[in-house]
Amino acid sequence: VLYSRFVSPSAALLELPNSDGGTGPPPFGDHNGLGPGGHSGPEMAMLEALSSGSVPPVIEEPESTVTLRPDDVQQEDKEGLEKINTRPGKIILYSDAGFAGQKREIWDDVPDATSWELSHTISIRVIRGGWVMYEKPRFRGRKCVLAEGDVEIDNPWTAYGESGENGQPRGGRPFRIGSFKRVVRDYRTPEISLFAEENGEGARLRFSGSAEDTRTRGQALAAASIIVHSGLWLVYSKPFFDDDPYVLEPGGYPNLKAWGAKDPSICSMHPIRLGCPVVERPGEPQVLIYEAAAFQGRSFTLSRDIYDLKRLPEPGLPTVGSLRVLGGCWVGYEKEGFRGHQYLLEEGEYQDWRQWGGYSKELVSLRLIRTDFSDPALVLFEAMDFEEGPSVELSEALPDTQLAGYGTITQSIHVLSGV
């Protein structure tokens, strides 16, 4: 049990209980023994956030552990375990420029992609999630950040003009990818803390959004250590996002060496965020349901609303252990007849009930969402019956209603379009 603020990765592992008494999966996947940012060694230790109270004891459970983000220690003490609604990830990678060549779909972390045959320029379409592409397997080496959208990338690991073997230029070498990691998986507000001293000590500045110029009277902001509480951050030593950024994943960076910097100056920063739900196949609704977790056991395909999964004729399944949404956007319900807790099921893979945000293992009915997703709009009203008072109109994802100048009380809603 350690109570210091500077805790090594092996000691900063807490077992989180679920509602059924089990333990939860790592929120950002298995880091394969690597510290935050995909680095190994003692420099990548976890920093805990400052807390006036005592830190809960560290329980070592090597068989199934999760790494707490710094603020989780405080939040769990105050509110209990928070349920995070993750979203499925997806990348479509093309082996050639112009979105041509061999097509490969990526749904989650890929520890080793070195066997993939690619040309010097590749095309990537990020459907959902914030991703990091690594130069080497097991999430090591130089990084390239991939946000939602389309991009063509020349080989970032070898620049034109560099000399390779026998003095030949490296520019024409084929692209080689070491690994992929999906880092941004949910709508939590990105948060980063900068400290004036190493090991999370000294004056602290906290940011939750993009900052194009942090300088004060021309003086650059200096950070000796950093905690990334949530999100994937690009940190620049120059203002207005100039020059190559440092890529910081959730975790603690106790000194400059931890994030690969020599100069403590931080002049701009930007978090990678998730966009609105995307439906690739709205006219081809299909869900593949498995009776066991991790897509094991018998399976059943459906393409229409299901009132009660337990009353389906053969080959119906008694339980839903995992599912793949192949087309359309669906709502799953905890009880039969579209009742109980609701779970938004976008196109993607859900290996168990935790990944669709379940309060329990029960998923008994499903309904297809029939709407146009292209132009969503709704109005929230604080008063009942749309009476006068505070209101806000939204057309995109909003992780915190207070960011729009609106409170947490809503008693009536007008959906103008979308869902």
Side-chain angles (χ1 to χ4, degrees):
V1 179
L2 298 178
Y3 288 94
S4 64
R5 292 176 183 154
F6 188 26
V7 185
S8 66
S10 60
L13 298 174
L14 292 188
E15 190 74 14
L16 298 183
N18 292 318
S19 58
D20 62 353
T23 55
F28 292 100
D30 183 3
H31 292 277
N32 302 293
L34 302 178
H39 297 279
S40 60
E43 295 297 341
M44 294 308 302
M46 176 65 75
L47 294 178
E48 292 180 341
L50 303 178
S51 173
S52 57
S54 62
V55 179
V58 176
I59 306 170
E60 293 189 0
E61 293 285 351
E63 290 79 15
S64 176
T65 55
V66 298
T67 303
L68 283 181
R69 292 175 313 281
D71 269 358
D72 284 345
V73 175
Q74 299 179 35
Q75 292 299 327
E76 190 180 24
D77 199 36
K78 296 177 181 178
E79 305 171 2
L81 183 61
E82 180 183 18
K83 186 178 81 68
I84 300 298
N85 295 308
T86 60
R87 297 182 63 204
K90 185 178 180 182
I91 285 180
I92 303 177
L93 184 146
Y94 297 84
S95 60
D96 299 322
F99 299 91
Q102 183 182 2
K103 175 182 173 181
R104 188 185 301 270
E105 292 187 350
I106 304 168
W107 299 90
D108 212 331
D109 296 355
V110 179
D112 191 343
T114 53
S115 62
W116 298 356
E117 295 185 0
L118 308 169
S119 64
H120 181 78
T121 301
I122 64 173
S123 309
I124 294 179
R125 176 166 292 149
V126 180
I127 306 298
R128 300 179 198 87
W131 299 72
V132 176
M133 182 173 62
Y134 294 84
E135 176 188 14
K136 299 178 181 180
R138 315 295 293 182
F139 319 115
R140 296 179 296 113
R142 289 175 288 184
K143 307 175 184 180
C144 180
V145 172
L146 301 172
E148 292 180 355
D150 293 356
V151 64
E152 289 189 359
I153 304 177
D154 289 330
N155 194 334
W157 323 130
T158 56
Y160 284 97
E162 289 185 355
S163 294
E165 297 179 4
N166 302 321
Q168 297 298 316
R170 294 177 181 264
R173 284 190 175 186
F175 207 122
R176 283 288 179 266
I177 299 173
S179 48
F180 276 99
K181 184 194 291 182
R182 183 163 64 103
V183 178
V184 183
R185 297 170 176 254
D186 53 60
Y187 280 123
R188 274 177 293 186
T189 302
E191 193 172 328
I192 187 172
S193 292
L194 310 181
F195 296 87
E197 301 175 16
E198 293 187 353
N199 301 332
E201 302 286 351
R204 171 180 179 174
L205 290 175
R206 185 179 295 226
F207 295 84
S208 59
S210 187
E212 64 179 15
D213 190 353
T214 64
R215 295 175 300 175
T216 303
R217 298 177 181 176
Q219 186 70 29
L221 181 65
S225 57
I226 295 176
I227 291 178
V228 177
H229 304 279
S230 58
L232 176 63
W233 288 80
L234 305 180
V235 176
Y236 299 80
S237 58
K238 296 182 179 180
F240 306 106
F241 318 116
D242 191 18
D243 209 354
D244 293 333
Y246 300 106
V247 180
L248 303 186
E249 302 173 41
Y253 300 80
N255 49 46
L256 297 180
K257 184 179 178 181
W259 70 87
K262 296 181 180 180
D263 183 353
S265 298
I266 295 179
C267 295
S268 55
M269 63 188 76
H270 178 71
I272 301 299
R273 299 176 181 268
L274 296 183
C276 292
V278 176
V279 182
E280 296 179 89
R281 301 181 179 92
E284 305 173 36
Q286 192 175 35
V287 178
L288 186 57
I289 297 176
Y290 297 82
E291 66 177 341
F295 317 114
Q296 301 297 312
R298 294 184 300 146
S299 62
F300 176 75
T301 301
L302 59 90
S303 56
R304 58 180 177 83
D305 294 355
I306 299 297
Y307 188 85
D308 189 347
L309 282 167
K310 295 183 178 181
R311 294 182 179 271
L312 286 177
E314 293 295 334
L317 302 177
T319 60
V320 178
S322 53
L323 54 86
R324 286 188 170 105
V325 179
L326 304 177
C329 193
W330 300 70
V331 178
Y333 295 84
E334 179 187 23
K335 301 178 181 180
E336 75 283 353
F338 317 118
R339 299 182 300 115
H341 290 297
Q342 305 178 42
Y343 311 119
L344 179 66
L345 302 174
E346 299 178 70
E347 293 166 343
E349 297 184 340
Y350 303 84
Q351 294 201 30
D352 60 33
W353 60 275
R354 297 178 186 89
Q355 291 199 355
W356 64 68
Y359 281 89
S360 69
K361 297 181 180 180
E362 291 294 314
L363 185 69
V364 184
S365 52
L366 287 99
R367 173 180 284 166
L368 175 66
I369 297 176
R370 298 171 175 85
T371 187
D372 179 9
F373 289 87
S374 61
D375 190 22
L378 64 79
V379 184
L380 306 179
F381 297 85
E382 186 175 293
M384 298 178 66
D385 299 321
F386 317 107
E387 293 179 355
E388 290 187 7
S391 65
V392 61
E393 182 171 347
L394 305 175
S395 59
E396 60 183 4
L398 184 66
D400 185 348
T401 55
Q402 293 180 337
L403 296 176
Y406 183 78
T408 58
I409 297 175
T410 295
Q411 299 192 83
S412 52
I413 301 176
H414 185 191
V415 179
L416 306 175
S417 60
V419 60

